Amino acid sequence: MASTILTNLAILVLAAFVGFQVISKVPNTLHTPLMSGTNAIHGIVLLGGLVAIAHADGFLSRLLLVIAIAFGTINVVGGFLVTDRMLSMFKKKPEPVAEDADR
Amino acid sequence: MSATVFFQEADFITAAYIVAFGMFITGLAKLTSPTTAVQGNKIAALGMLVAVVATLLNPDLDGADFALIAIGLIIGTIVGVPSARNVKMTAMPQMVALFNGVGGGAVALIAWAEFRQPFELSDELDVGIPLVFAAIIGSISFWGSNIAFGKLQGLISGSPVKIPAGLFVNIALLAIAIGAGVAILLGSESEGLFVLILVAAAILGNLAVLPIGGADMPVVISTLNAFTGLSAAAAGIALDNYALIVAGMIVGASGTILTDQMAKAMNRSIGSVLLGGFGGEAPAIEGGGTENGGTVRSTSAADVAILLAYARQVVVVPGYGMAVAQAQHAVREMSKALEKKGIEVKYAIHPVAGRMPGHMNVLLAEADVPYDQLKEMDDINPEFGRTDVSLVIGANDVTNPDARLKADSPIYGMPILNVDESKQVIVLKRSMASGFAGIENPLFYGEKTQMLFGDAKSSVAEITSELGAL
């Protein structure tokens, strides 16, 4: 058992370093989409709900986990959708007005 | 070996998780530039799909009631999709707070359900400790995010609420939650104790966010984001699930970086934000420091239009006031009119402008402002000297030169936009009321400054029509 926890902690530490490296390069301009994007990623707790419901006994446990799965799904689906909406608004040349007038 | 068996191998699932991690990290790496960001988000979303499908194929799930899983997924989708589709960009901070909250809530609920499993947590501390941690942080995050949502949505007063002996109460609540957790880890199987952990953490989450003023929200939301990520990672250790550990920890790291950056941009320690008080003690500072002898010069939209028309470079400095007045589209129209005259327009965005990190950029992007005109503080500050007119729209404290010049000012040391260095400054403002910090802004009394009073949206529209008439 001890080795499992150590493996998990090793993964935890490495993930922290990767996270710090990748995220510190994101410019201020994109901080809101970054936050809602990472928000969607922590919706991964949904998986925890799926795994836990498999061995859950009793009405209360199952109820708690169905709510947890619903919460996680809101987090994932809503988070990625709203991030996509925001990011698609960042455009470089939104000047078709002048071009259209020329045509 | 048949295909179905292969897909149910534990190794296959771990491999699928590894693919998912790669996609998360690639997706986030692509968020560093607006040109690749849309694609990055899609890659991350696809990674999530891979992780979910792999988990559903997990042989451990064989005994699961798939109807229950379907109910959860369907409810989540029905709630999540329309809210994500319909939310206004100005309401983005509260939407993010809400999504963040449900994530934390899910962690707390999973921890509770796991506790109810028939095994001795005291025998397996490597499961028990992260489970208790996940319960505490998840519950704080859920309730804290809900309060942040309420404040941003205007359901709860956005101004700081003083709680008597708040710090003492919060420490006591944390001690109760940890104490109950230790009792469980020492062998108690009382479900009441576990619920006590959740309840104490819930009250703590409420009380911790309640005293924090609206302008400190960027720090709060970032912190709560980090909390949810960390709680997910802890749940991952308890459930021995790599996907949760990696994804949760990356979010924890991201939230921590953002919290740190936001706090730095406000010249405040994270501790002082979380302890509240800034907005609360500010009026006293204002009372003592209003000996500013200067006079305010008021101007008209027509005069501003003339001034702008003869400029070569105009820098727009938007603040939360612009978002409140919904003036971003009017501002974009004005910039278009200026650009037509060959005048260069740039936007100076302070890191904490708005109610969450980067909020102002999203609002301006929605109004079709090209992102290469959105300048970060460090890029635009050297340019103010060559700027003919700076147009401050609904921003205040982030332009206060006292932060640079006056050592006894409460905001001394805070990084600001050096608007006062430009040749002319026009400040659009509703009235002479102070900013959230309640501090006088000498910029308004400066020799180069003129004030255009009124609603930002109609003032800007007026300037635009005057520009057209020139």
Side-chain angles (χ1 to χ4, degrees), chain B residues 357-380:
Chain B
H359 188 200
M360 210 50 65
N361 302 83
V362 171
L363 295 177
L364 290 168
E366 189 198 15
D368 270 345
V369 174
Y371 63 79
D372 45 9
Q373 286 185 3
L374 305 174
K375 300 293 180 194
E376 294 188 12
M377 182 167 61
D378 294 339
D379 297 331
I380 196 76

Side-chain angles (χ1 to χ4, degrees), chain A residues 1-98, chain B residues 17 24-25 28-29 31-34 37-38 41-42 44-45 48 51-52 55-56 60-61 64-65 68-69 72-73 76-77 79-81 84-87 89 92 96 99-100 102-103 105-107 109-110 112-114 116-117 126 142 191 221-222 225 228-229 232-233 237 239-247 249-251 253-254 257-258 261-262 332 351 356-359 361-362 365-366 368 370-372 376:
Chain A
M1 271 325 261
S3 71
T4 311
I5 183 77
L6 285 183
T7 312
N8 285 343
L9 286 177
I11 293 172
L12 185 79
V13 171
L14 291 175
F17 277 103
V18 171
F20 276 116
Q21 282 301 318
V22 175
I23 306 296
S24 52
K25 294 197 185 85
V26 176
N28 288 351
T29 316
L30 291 177
H31 272 169
T32 295
L34 168 72
M35 185 162 282
S36 77
T38 53
N39 217 331
I41 289 178
H42 70 48
I44 197 151
V45 291
L46 165 62
L47 302 193
L50 298 179
V51 174
I53 207 168
H55 57 236
D57 297 316
F59 175 74
L60 180 57
S61 291
R62 285 167 178 224
L63 178 68
L64 294 175
L65 288 169
V66 169
I67 299 173
I69 291 173
F71 275 4
T73 311
I74 294 176
N75 197 181
V76 169
V77 176
F80 280 121
L81 265 182
V82 92
T83 310
D84 186 63
R85 249 186 81 197
M86 263 189 276
L87 287 173
S88 54
M89 294 182 323
F90 281 89
K91 289 177 220 108
K92 193 162 191 175
K93 291 261 152 51
E95 297 289 303
V97 187
Chain B
Y17 282 171
F24 290 154
I25 293 164
L28 287 174
L31 270 184
T32 47
S33 156
V38 177
N41 184 54
K42 284 187 177 136
M48 186 63 76
V52 171
T55 307
L56 286 174
D60 291 352
L61 252 67
D65 190 340
L68 288 181
I69 291 179
L73 292 175
T77 310
V79 177
V81 173
R85 283 253 166 83
N86 301 328
V87 63
M89 288 301 144
M92 198 50 74
V96 170
F99 286 157
N100 189 55
V102 289
V107 172
L109 292 175
I110 291 166
W112 187 1
E114 277 297 292
R116 304 185 87 250
Q117 282 308 114
D126 53 344
F142 178 69
E191 186 164 12
I221 294 185
S222 311
N225 189 31
T228 308
I237 293 182
L239 292 167
D240 196 15
N241 183 305
Y242 296 149
L244 259 68
I245 300 174
V246 172
M249 195 60 223
I250 289 177
V251 181
S254 141
I257 291 179
L258 287 176
Q261 287 188 357
M262 292 306 115
R332 174 63 183 143
M356 73 179 289
H359 188 200
N361 302 83
V362 171
E366 189 198 15
D368 270 345
Y371 63 79
D372 45 9
E376 294 188 12

Side-chain angles (χ1 to χ4, degrees), chain B residues 312-315 344-348 372-390 417-423:
Chain B
R312 254 174 308 155
Q313 173 162 296
V314 172
V315 172
E344 183 145 15
V345 181
K346 288 172 181 166
Y347 296 80
D372 45 9
Q373 286 185 3
L374 305 174
K375 300 293 180 194
E376 294 188 12
M377 182 167 61
D378 294 339
D379 297 331
I380 196 76
N381 265 344
E383 288 208 32
F384 277 113
R386 307 185 246 123
T387 300
D388 300 295
V389 184
S390 287
L417 295 163
N418 298 330
V419 176
D420 54 319
E421 288 174 0
S422 53
K423 290 169 193 148

Side-chain angles (χ1 to χ4, degrees), chain B residues 7-351:
Chain B
F7 286 125
Q8 293 195 338
E9 286 276 328
D11 282 351
F12 171 78
I13 288 145
T14 308
Y17 282 171
I18 295 171
V19 171
F21 305 155
M23 295 173 87
F24 290 154
I25 293 164
T26 313
L28 287 174
K30 281 180 182 285
L31 270 184
T32 47
S33 156
T35 44
T36 52
V38 177
Q39 195 195 2
N41 184 54
K42 284 187 177 136
I43 292 173
L46 208 60
M48 186 63 76
L49 188 67
V50 169
V52 171
V53 171
T55 307
L56 286 174
L57 292 172
N58 191 327
D60 291 352
L61 252 67
D62 275 352
D65 190 340
F66 276 90
L68 288 181
I69 291 179
I71 292 174
L73 292 175
I74 290 168
I75 294 177
T77 310
I78 290 175
V79 177
V81 173
S83 35
R85 283 253 166 83
N86 301 328
V87 63
K88 287 205 178 87
M89 288 301 144
T90 36
M92 198 50 74
Q94 48 266 50
M95 190 83 254
V96 170
L98 208 59
F99 286 157
N100 189 55
V102 289
V107 172
L109 292 175
I110 291 166
W112 187 1
E114 277 297 292
F115 169 78
R116 304 185 87 250
Q117 282 308 114
F119 56 62
E120 302 276 319
L121 284 181
S122 52
D123 288 346
E124 300 189 32
L125 287 180
D126 53 344
V127 176
I129 293 173
L131 207 58
V132 168
F133 181 85
I136 294 176
I137 304 289
S139 184
I140 290 177
S141 182
F142 178 69
W143 291 101
S145 300
N146 285 348
I147 295 292
F149 167 80
K151 285 195 162 228
L152 290 160
Q153 186 72 23
L155 302 175
I156 307 170
S157 161
S159 55
V161 180
K162 271 274 173 220
I163 291 161
L167 180 61
F168 173 75
V169 173
N170 287 353
I171 291 174
L173 285 166
L174 186 63
I176 291 172
I178 293 175
V182 169
I184 286 171
L185 295 174
L186 289 177
S188 168
E189 285 177 44
S190 154
E191 186 164 12
L193 268 181
F194 199 88
V195 174
L196 180 64
I197 296 179
L198 295 176
V199 171
I203 301 173
L204 176 56
N206 280 288
L207 293 187
V209 177
L210 214 48
I212 299 174
D216 278 337
M217 277 302 156
V219 182
V220 176
I221 294 185
S222 311
T223 311
L224 291 169
N225 189 31
F227 271 27
T228 308
L230 291 176
S231 68
I237 293 182
L239 292 167
D240 196 15
N241 183 305
Y242 296 149
L244 259 68
I245 300 174
V246 172
M249 195 60 223
I250 289 177
V251 181
S254 141
T256 307
I257 291 179
L258 287 176
T259 307
D260 184 53
Q261 287 188 357
M262 292 306 115
K264 274 199 187 120
M266 303 179 88
N267 193 34
R268 309 187 54 198
S269 72
I270 295 161
S272 75
V273 171
L274 297 184
L275 294 181
F278 200 45
E281 69 198 44
I285 297 161
E286 188 193 18
T290 42
E291 76 283 2
N292 224 314
T295 46
V296 170
R297 286 189 300 156
S298 156
T299 184
S300 70
D303 288 338
V304 174
I306 292 169
L307 203 59
L308 292 174
Y310 289 101
R312 254 174 308 155
Q313 173 162 296
V314 172
V315 172
V316 177
V317 184
Y320 189 61
M322 184 195 74
V324 171
Q326 295 283 348
Q328 55 271 33
H329 292 278
V331 170
R332 174 63 183 143
E333 287 309 311
M334 181 192 66
S335 319
K336 273 187 191 159
L338 290 171
E339 281 159 18
K340 239 179 237 166
K341 292 180 186 291
I343 299 158
E344 183 145 15
V345 181
K346 288 172 181 166
Y347 296 80
I349 317 272
H350 193 273

